Amino acid sequence: MPRPILATIHTQALRQNLQRLRLAAPDARVWAVVKANAYGHGIERAFEGLRSADGFALLDLAEAQRVRALGWRGPILLLEGVFELRDLELCSRLDLWHTVHCDAQIDMLAAHKTTVPMRVFLKMNSGMNRLGFRPEHYRSAWSRLNALPQVDEITLMTHFSDADGPKGVQAQMATFAAITHDLPGERTLSNSAATLRHTLDAQHVAAQAQTLVASDWVRPGIATYGSAPDYPLHTAADWGLQPTMTLAAKIIATQDLSVGDTVGYGSSFVADKPMRIGVVACGYADGYPRICPTGTPVLVDGTRTRTVGRVSMDMITVDLDPVPQAQMGSVVTLWGRAANSVVLSIDEVAASAGTVGYELMCGLAQRVPVEVTD
Ligand SMILES: *Cc1c(COP(=O)(O)O)cnc(C)c1O
């Protein structure tokens, strides 16, 4: 028998989350962001749940090839654009739209031999300071691109650094608007946090700015996968998002502890009362963060309890006091949805590990078998 651990991808939840994002930006087209192998879900596994998107956004050419191999004929956008000249050949062959964020990429386009002009997304660095042309150089980049026979439509793009926090999107949006107001073409600005927090929230954004955040194309990633982009300000449930990945394993042993007994490496947990613990077939080699301290929430048979002691490579240990009926074979939900429909948000587990849901999803280990359900 294989080791009793399983990740489940919930197709219906992906569909519903996408629908939820459409409600937040009803006039926009929606990119399903599937970079990092669909945030660890697996592009092929997530595809069915995401096929109602208007396009797929990602950054790896091999991943773009996989989306085409699934039969997707619609738009695919390379969020970082190409890395070298010959990538453009693949873009032409697979009809990929690509971001242009620096002069070197314009040089590559100018050197690219194609008879079919390409659709490009010109990225402005409006404050994030990762990719993009600085505002003062944006218009000359646009003119240069626009003059190339290799270039078809130019979409105007930027990315927010603080859509999930108190700083918000105002300053970057104002910069973007000031530079681009009279340029033709579609716009794309918003990630999950901006789409959920700053599109319909008229109290925070002036009417004109609101249109800009929701404009033409939105690019939600994390919310599609059922994680709140601004946790703990809001939870996924607050946003009406459902978990799309469940990680569950079984109890493979139990131990009865006496006062003073310790658990696991480093004896970091000491029983202060007689208690029963379960040993679970999931460890850091499965993608469960080793840094999760005693007290990290888990569900045993759908009942909330906590981890005790250190996470090891292949096992964790959990407090069975709240679930006296638990035994070998009982199902432990590390994140996601239990059989009784109780949800343990990946954001809560991530917070225990001092990180975000993104990292946990993306870190699901290769050795964990994955099943796709409705
Ligand atoms: C990853 C990414 C997104 C999606 O961000 P989320 O926070 O997951 O919604 C959108 N745009 C760009 C350019 C990205 O790299």
Side-chain angles (χ1 to χ4, degrees):
M1 207 178 104
R3 202 164 148 258
I5 181 167
L6 182 68
T8 305
I9 306 304
H10 306 290
T11 305
Q12 194 56 29
L14 285 164
R15 263 185 218 122
Q16 285 174 14
N17 294 341
L18 205 55
Q19 194 52 36
R20 170 68 186 85
L21 287 151
R22 278 198 193 280
L23 286 178
D27 299 325
R29 274 161 292 160
V30 179
W31 290 110
V33 179
V34 294
K35 63 190 181 189
N37 201 20
Y39 289 47
H41 289 60
I43 286 177
E44 289 77 8
R45 296 182 197 115
F47 182 71
E48 191 53 41
L50 298 177
R51 66 185 312 154
S52 70
D54 299 294
F56 288 89
L58 40 73
L59 19 108
D60 193 287
L61 279 122
E63 290 187 341
Q65 263 172 318
R66 284 163 58 193
V67 175
R68 284 284 180 247
L70 287 163
W72 177 256
R73 300 251 177 89
I76 297 180
L77 172 62
L78 295 177
L79 290 166
E80 295 182 349
V82 296
F83 305 100
E84 54 181 339
L85 178 56
R86 64 177 181 168
D87 293 346
L88 286 171
E89 287 164 27
L90 201 61
C91 287
S92 287
R93 185 142 42 87
L94 297 177
D95 188 19
L96 309 180
W97 301 356
H98 50 101
T99 301
V100 172
H101 64 76
C102 64
D103 284 311
Q105 288 177 326
I106 304 184
D107 296 340
M108 291 182 214
L109 265 166
H112 179 47
K113 293 186 177 45
T114 177
T115 51
V116 186
M118 314 176 86
R119 173 132 177 201
V120 297
F121 282 57
L122 181 60
K123 187 151 186 188
M124 183 190 297
N125 168 16
S126 58
M128 171 75 106
N129 285 312
R130 293 190 316 192
L131 303 182
F133 292 90
R134 297 189 68 86
E136 61 272 28
H137 299 137
Y138 191 77
R139 292 181 72 98
S140 59
W142 187 90
S143 300
R144 214 188 139 203
L145 265 184
N146 193 46
L148 291 180
Q150 291 90 340
V151 171
D152 180 23
E153 237 177 282
I154 304 173
T155 298
L156 315 180
M157 177 182 188
T158 196
H159 191 54
F160 295 123
S161 57
D162 289 83
D164 57 333
K167 191 172 164 195
V169 299
Q170 308 278 38
Q172 282 183 265
M173 219 160 42
T175 303
F176 183 82
I179 302 289
T180 61
H181 66 97
D182 59 345
L183 290 179
E186 295 188 330
R187 270 83 173 147
T188 178
L189 290 82
S190 295
N191 58 2
S192 297
T195 305
L196 288 172
R197 301 185 69 198
H198 300 290
T199 48
L200 295 185
D201 193 351
Q203 284 171 332
H204 286 88
V205 232
Q208 189 194 353
Q210 192 181 333
T211 337
L212 196 52
V213 179
S215 66
D216 299 323
W217 294 89
V218 292
R219 309 188 303 268
I222 195 68
T224 318
Y225 303 102
S227 166
D230 58 350
Y231 185 87
L233 223 54
H234 294 94
T235 64
D238 292 339
W239 288 123
L241 302 168
Q242 303 185 17
T244 59
M245 177 194 285
T246 293
L247 178 62
K250 287 184 177 167
I251 292 180
I252 57 171
T254 60
Q255 299 290 343
D256 292 299
L257 304 184
S258 308
V259 174
D261 282 350
T262 66
V263 178
Y265 289 118
S267 302
S268 73
F269 179 80
V270 186
D272 60 0
K273 57 179 179 10
M275 64 185 288
R276 203 164 150 255
I277 61 165
V279 181
V280 185
C282 176
Y284 62 76
D286 300 298
Y288 192 87
R290 182 177 177 278
I291 200 168
C292 282
T294 289
T296 301
V298 295
L299 306 174
V300 176
D301 283 338
T303 297
R304 243 179 114 93
T305 178
R306 58 173 183 149
T307 63
V308 293
R310 250 183 223 168
V311 173
S312 6
M313 183 186 287
D314 311 303
M315 286 174 266
I316 58 172
T317 32
V318 299
D319 184 352
L320 294 183
D321 275 359
V323 264
Q325 81 285 2
Q327 55 187 334
M328 200 172 149
S330 291
V331 175
V332 179
T333 306
L334 290 320
W335 58 71
R337 188 181 292 277
N340 63 358
S341 290
V342 170
V343 167
L344 173 58
S345 165
I346 196 168
D347 297 325
E348 230 188 301
V349 182
S352 291
T355 184
V356 287
Y358 300 77
E359 191 176 358
L360 268 54
M361 293 175 190
C362 293
L364 182 74
Q366 199 71 45
R367 79 171 185 183
V368 178
V370 185
E371 166 189 280
V372 180
T373 63
D374 250 7

